[in-house]
Amino acid sequence: MPKISHSALRRQFRELLATPTCVETASVFDPMSARIAADLGFEVGILGGSVASLQVLAAPDFALITLSEFVEQATRIGRVAQLPFIADADHGYGNALNVMRTVEELERAGVAALTIEDTLLPAQFGRKSTDLISIEEGIGKVRAALEARVDPQLSIIARTNAGVLPTEAVIERTLAYQKAGADGICMVGVADFEHLEKIAENLTVPLMLVTYGNPKLHDAQRLASLGVRVVVAGHAAYFAAIKATYDSLRAQRQLTHSTSNLSATELTHTYTLPESYVAWAEEFMDVKE
């Protein structure tokens, strides 16, 4: 199969953003999953920051993974990708200057697009893990990301959390990021279509939603009519792989039952030790939700 250039894949993604349709991403976490997703006809994939943390560190999504570790995984995927894929670049791994480094590295890795969020990461002493940076700092990160890219086809998508702020504040942020030049706006925490309609009313750039399968946002045609072009419903493929690995190894050890009643979510919770990380955050950082 002839390899598609990174620039061509980026053009494909931009063409997708320009269409009046809404598609769901495939969760791609290694070269094999990227090849499978492309073969099955997915229009776009995504390398989630939480998934990378699980795969590389077996750790919960507490902003523990480093840029170099994330880029290594993105590079492995980019080496074989036959579909455009988005990199969930979290907060850009630091301030605006770190964001520039993040864009440079991920562009070389072959991503078609990347999201930069305005969450205050990693969690700060005495602050909630969902706190956001100021709009001014968020704008600076968007502008820095745009300055750092070399290939103009690379899409820079500004992300914010619509679930932790009043709707008016979300509108203010998304409009500011659009004005700063973001190629798209990504949101997590949108509650329902009424919430989305209020936010999207004055936006003209393409939208991306992280819905985690929210049943109140399941109408693809209605999403498309509101400017949503990409939906991230979750990362079921990777969690299914965790479950399959566990069940396969249990069978190999000839345990009483070849499968267990533990779900993929329960297995992930068991083996990433989230209670320890929460306790450490409370003890050393006074981070309490």
Side-chain angles (χ1 to χ4, degrees):
M1 181 181 295
K3 184 170 175 58
I4 305 174
S5 72
H6 294 153
S7 189
L9 291 172
R10 290 168 187 150
R11 286 195 297 273
Q12 282 186 24
F13 183 71
R14 283 190 172 268
E15 289 168 3
L16 172 65
L17 293 182
T19 62
T21 58
C22 176
V23 302
E24 192 170 304
T25 61
S27 180
V28 296
F29 46 86
D30 63 6
M32 184 67 78
S33 62
R35 282 181 170 163
I36 291 171
D39 185 60
L40 292 176
F42 277 90
E43 296 86 355
V44 61
I46 185 167
L47 172 60
S50 60
V51 170
S53 184
L54 289 172
Q55 190 171 43
V56 176
L57 303 175
D61 189 20
F62 280 18
L64 298 170
I65 193 168
T66 64
L67 172 61
S68 59
E69 290 168 330
F70 185 75
V71 168
E72 285 175 4
Q73 198 66 3
T75 300
R76 295 184 185 105
I77 296 171
R79 193 175 291 127
V80 306
Q82 298 290 296
L83 83 169
F85 74 102
I86 305 164
D88 170 11
D90 286 340
H91 61 312
Y93 297 91
N95 61 26
L97 300 184
N98 297 114
V99 167
M100 297 182 79
R101 171 77 190 282
T102 296
V103 171
E104 292 169 355
E105 296 294 339
L106 287 174
E107 181 172 342
R108 278 195 287 267
V111 306
L114 57 90
T115 60
I116 299 291
E117 65 184 84
D118 56 6
T119 313
L120 182 61
L121 294 174
Q124 303 296 297
F125 186 91
R127 301 285 295 269
K128 292 183 179 180
S129 61
T130 53
D131 284 349
L132 305 184
I133 59 177
S134 68
I135 293 180
E136 293 76 16
E137 185 174 358
I139 291 170
K141 285 191 172 188
V142 172
R143 293 179 58 237
L146 294 168
E147 176 68 23
R149 72 178 172 190
V150 175
D151 185 351
Q153 298 296 331
L154 176 69
S155 295
I156 305 297
I157 302 174
R159 170 173 159 167
T160 194
N161 191 331
V164 300
L165 291 174
T167 301
E168 294 75 16
V170 178
I171 293 171
E172 183 183 8
R173 279 182 180 258
T174 54
L175 284 173
Y177 299 156
Q178 174 177 272
K179 185 177 180 180
D183 298 304
I185 300 293
C186 175
M187 289 180 285
V188 64
V190 174
D192 50 32
F193 276 108
E194 182 181 358
H195 192 197
L196 176 61
E197 287 169 354
K198 291 177 181 177
I199 299 169
E201 184 177 4
N202 297 310
L203 294 173
T204 57
V205 294
L207 304 182
M208 173 178 167
L209 291 187
V210 182
T211 67
Y212 299 120
N214 182 352
K216 296 180 180 179
L217 293 168
H218 263 185
D219 188 334
Q221 288 187 337
R222 190 173 177 186
L223 288 172
S225 71
L226 293 170
V228 178
R229 300 292 171 255
V230 177
V231 167
V232 182
H235 301 286
Y238 185 68
F239 290 103
I242 292 173
K243 173 67 171 171
T245 299
Y246 181 78
D247 289 343
S248 177
L249 292 176
R250 278 180 59 87
Q252 184 178 341
R253 290 296 291 173
Q254 299 180 345
L255 298 179
T256 306
H257 302 289
S258 60
T259 60
S260 77
N261 292 324
L262 291 176
S263 67
T265 300
E266 291 169 331
L267 288 168
T268 302
H269 188 87
T270 297
Y271 293 114
T272 57
L273 313 178
E275 290 89 353
S276 295
Y277 286 98
V278 170
W280 293 329
E282 291 178 352
E283 181 177 357
F284 305 129
M285 298 163 53
D286 194 33
V287 172
K288 297 182 177 68
E289 295 306 320

